[in-house]
Amino acid sequence: GAGTYTLEYGLDPTLTTGTTSLTVSTHTATTTALMYDSTYYWRVKANGTNDTSAWSVIFSFTVLNAPVLLSPADNSTDISLNPELKWEAINGADKYIIEYATDNLFTAPQQLTSTTENITLPDVSFGTQYFWHVKVIAGTDTSAWSAIYNFTTVDNITLLSPADNAVTPLSLLLTWEPVAGTTTYAYQCQIDTANTFNSTLLNSILIPSDIPVLQAFSSQTLFNTAYFWRVRMINGTDTSSWSAVWSFTTQNDVELALPANLSTGVMPNVSLMSFNMPGVYNYLFELDTVNTFDSFLYYYTYPTANVPFVKSINSELLFGTKYYWRVRGRMGTIFSNWSSIWEFTTIDKVTPTLPANGASLLNVNVNLKWEAIEGITGYVVQLDTTAAFATTSTISLTSTINELTVQASTLVSNKTYYWRVKAVHSKDESDWSTVRTFNFTYNVGIDNNSSDNIIQLYPNPTKGQVILNIHSSNNEDARLTILDITGRVVYEEALQLNRGSNIHPLNLTQLTQGIYLIAVKNDYINFNKKLILNN
């Protein structure tokens, strides 16, 4: 039922002198600015329409003496060079005064002002102990200084990788623990072959502190060498202490990859692969048929690093031969050790696949197939009705791919044929494959007037070597004539044909490039075929 309240407060415990009086209509009131570090006394009475209550009992309170510091915690260490100082906020404060110094007497303090309950110090020194305190200003009143806290700034870097005493490639990343806080300083990384860091090979690298991962990319120039490294921070004219000194030793051996050691059936154009040594851009390969590498069969440089392998191709190696190989890295005139010696053996012969051995074939062209060999120029196929492959009866054919079609009309019916194949290139030829057989039956009669079935000409087009395969049902004579596009006879020859298949090779390399007509004629044969010659 009270209409208003009267509040009195002051510094006099009896509230008889120096009091301030307020009349409010609610049961709360806000004082005007009080004095820091002072005890105040206060009481209240209620006012009705016709009456006033007695004064309440007198309460007292003491205004805060000074701010309470929060962070960095007292005696903190490894604090960044731009530390943020925090304290509890005080209601009614106009501003805060902050002092920091390198001694707890604040003989030469730095002073800052803040209107909030925190402040970030400008760059301070590495590895230094700082003392700080805060006071509040409200109007014309000033609080006492807060308690004194201290912190010590960071002065050392923690190295991370490579691990101390590790074996590393020539090029590597050096990493360390970043220091949180400022981005206004940099890191200095030193690398040297002397742990005193005073040799002529000293390498000093500066890295900004604001990169996402703190690291230094370093490329050394010596194999099998111990390098020492350390890191410190730089801020204007100030520097931190050096980190601990770690070391790493550069790699000295190349690691081989492919072909696997002791591999067999390797192709003549084998790719030799070693693992890349980061920082090394020249590699020397040795390949020989002796593991002493003194016949100097192959010795060459592969000049480019190709992660993850260094690859070198050797073409046209000998068939069925054991080879030894090794690799070493080179940096200018400096060499690594040779790698371990690996060996492989090249493929020695072709493997036939079709037709199945002993297969019976009726009235079909015979398609011969075998497993392909890489790094060669072609294949030679021999076909005969005897396993001896006698010179006079053997049909020799060539192919640049791993198959060959033999026309049924060129084969003798009801015969068992033997065939084999070998691979060739400019330096060597493989062993003959295993001999396989097929049984051939061709039960359709051949009419000598059906010249397309009697005579086969291949290859066409040709570069000069041509084979005529003439199937005759009798022993008979014929005449071979070659005419150019104008009808002029450029070659003529008498043929003596035997019953069965007659293989007749022609060497036309003396003729110029162009289109020719090949004719074979007698009383029963009238064969004409266009031939394209591409010299």
Side-chain angles (χ1 to χ4, degrees):
T4 60
Y5 299 88
T6 301
L7 166 69
E8 283 188 344
Y9 64 93
L11 297 174
D12 178 6
T14 65
L15 295 176
T16 57
T17 60
T19 61
T20 299
S21 181
L22 297 174
T23 298
V24 294
S25 59
T26 64
H27 62 283
T28 63
T30 302
T31 68
T32 56
L34 305 181
M35 303 293 292
Y36 290 107
D37 195 23
S38 300
T39 299
Y40 283 85
Y41 302 86
W42 66 289
R43 62 185 179 181
V44 179
K45 66 180 179 180
N47 304 311
T49 304
N50 301 310
D51 196 11
T52 299
S53 74
W55 286 107
S56 68
V57 296
I58 296 175
F59 273 21
S60 68
F61 61 86
T62 302
V63 178
L64 184 68
N65 180 42
V68 176
L69 304 187
L70 297 178
S71 65
D74 197 20
N75 298 310
S76 296
T77 58
D78 291 331
I79 302 301
S80 82
L81 299 191
N82 294 127
E84 184 183 26
L85 309 183
K86 291 185 177 182
W87 53 90
E88 288 185 356
I90 297 179
N91 292 333
D94 292 330
K95 59 183 178 181
Y96 302 90
I97 305 299
I98 305 97
E99 278 190 344
Y100 65 99
T102 55
D103 67 296
N104 60 4
L105 299 178
F106 295 90
T107 53
Q110 299 290 323
Q111 192 173 93
L112 301 172
T113 300
S114 175
T115 57
T116 61
E117 63 274 15
N118 63 290
I119 193 168
T120 298
L121 298 187
D123 287 345
V124 292
S125 298
F126 293 103
T128 304
Q129 186 180 34
Y130 286 91
F131 298 86
W132 66 289
H133 58 188
V134 179
K135 66 181 178 180
V136 184
I137 295 179
T140 59
D141 191 25
T142 302
S143 75
W145 286 107
S146 67
I148 297 173
Y149 275 17
N150 76 85
F151 62 85
T152 302
T153 52
V154 65
D155 191 44
N156 230 309
I157 304 296
T158 300
L159 305 184
L160 295 180
S161 66
D164 196 18
N165 299 313
V167 177
T168 70
L170 267 65
S171 289
L172 71 159
L173 291 176
L174 306 174
T175 65
W176 53 90
E177 191 74 40
V179 175
T182 185
T183 59
T184 61
Y185 54 86
Y187 295 91
Q188 181 183 25
C189 179
Q190 285 189 339
I191 307 161
D192 202 349
T193 54
N195 61 6
T196 52
F197 298 92
N198 59 356
S199 83
T200 56
L201 295 177
L202 174 64
N203 185 16
S204 187
I205 307 168
L206 285 178
I207 304 96
S209 64
D210 58 349
I211 59 176
V213 178
L214 293 173
Q215 58 190 23
F217 180 78
S218 179
S219 183
Q220 319 315 322
T221 58
L222 300 176
F223 295 99
N224 195 31
T225 301
Y227 284 88
F228 301 89
W229 67 291
R230 61 183 181 179
V231 180
R232 69 177 178 181
M233 291 174 285
I234 300 176
N235 182 27
T237 59
D238 191 27
T239 58
S240 72
S241 299
W242 286 106
S243 68
V245 176
W246 280 13
S247 71
F248 59 86
T249 300
T250 49
Q251 189 176 351
N252 197 32
D253 298 289
V254 182
E255 185 179 356
L256 304 185
L258 292 172
N261 194 24
L262 304 177
S263 294
T264 58
V266 174
M267 299 297 167
N269 63 341
V270 59
S271 294
L272 303 179
M273 294 184 177
S274 67
F275 286 99
N276 179 51
M277 297 175 70
V280 178
Y281 295 97
N282 290 90
Y283 296 85
L284 273 69
F285 287 76
E286 280 193 340
L287 177 71
D288 212 329
T289 53
V290 293
N291 61 8
T292 53
F293 298 93
D294 51 13
S295 71
F296 303 104
L297 185 62
Y298 292 99
Y299 182 88
Y300 57 92
T301 299
Y302 186 74
T304 307
N306 183 19
V307 178
F309 293 110
V310 173
K311 179 178 177 181
S312 181
I313 297 178
N314 296 273
S315 59
E316 296 190 337
L317 298 184
L318 303 179
F319 293 98
T321 303
K322 180 182 287 188
Y323 285 93
Y324 301 89
W325 67 291
R326 61 184 182 179
V327 182
R328 65 176 174 174
R330 181 175 71 181
M331 292 287 289
T333 59
I334 307 298
F335 295 90
S336 73
N337 284 344
W338 284 109
S339 67
S340 56
I341 297 173
W342 280 13
E343 63 183 71
F344 63 85
T345 302
T346 52
I347 192 169
D348 60 342
K349 58 185 178 183
V350 182
T351 301
T353 57
L354 291 175
N357 195 28
S360 294
L361 306 176
L362 176 63
N363 289 344
V364 294
N365 295 332
V366 179
N367 192 23
L368 305 178
K369 287 189 176 183
W370 52 90
E371 292 182 2
I373 294 180
E374 299 173 4
I376 63 169
T377 55
Y379 303 89
V380 176
V381 180
Q382 285 190 338
L383 187 69
D384 206 336
T385 55
T386 68
F389 294 95
T391 304
T392 56
S393 61
T394 300
I395 301 173
S396 291
L397 306 171
T398 60
S399 176
T400 57
I401 60 174
N402 62 317
E403 62 179 289
L404 179 70
T405 299
V406 181
Q407 297 295 322
S409 61
T410 65
L411 301 176
V412 179
S413 182
N414 298 318
K415 285 286 187 180
T416 296
Y417 277 89
Y418 300 83
W419 70 284
R420 62 185 181 179
V421 59
K422 66 180 177 181
V424 296
H425 59 60
S426 64
K427 296 179 182 177
D428 196 16
E429 60 183 37
S430 72
D431 293 338
W432 285 107
S433 68
T434 55
V435 177
R436 296 177 70 141
T437 66
F438 61 87
N439 302 310
F440 179 74
T441 302
Y442 192 62
N443 57 11
V444 177
I446 298 178
D447 182 358
N448 276 337
N449 290 322
S450 302
S451 57
D452 286 342
N453 292 328
I454 294 174
I455 300 177
Q456 183 185 26
L457 173 68
Y458 57 93
N460 188 9
T462 179
K463 290 188 176 182
Q465 300 293 335
V466 181
I467 294 177
L468 277 172
N469 191 347
I470 305 172
H471 187 84
S472 177
S473 58
N474 300 294
N475 296 329
E476 56 188 334
D477 296 334
R479 189 148 201 89
L480 167 67
T481 307
I482 301 178
L483 301 91
D484 65 15
I485 198 170
T486 66
R488 182 174 60 91
V489 175
V490 296
Y491 182 85
E492 195 169 22
E493 179 183 1
L495 301 177
Q496 292 183 337
L497 304 178
N498 297 316
R499 179 184 176 87
S501 181
N502 296 265
I503 304 298
H504 188 72
L506 289 174
N507 184 354
L508 304 181
T509 55
Q510 76 278 8
L511 299 181
T512 59
Q513 178 174 306
I515 299 175
Y516 295 85
L517 181 69
I518 293 185
V520 179
K521 299 181 184 299
N522 64 13
D523 293 338
Y524 305 101
I525 299 173
N526 185 13
F527 172 82
N528 296 280
K529 187 74 172 179
K530 181 175 70 174
L531 174 69
I532 299 174
L533 181 61
N534 293 326
N535 288 339

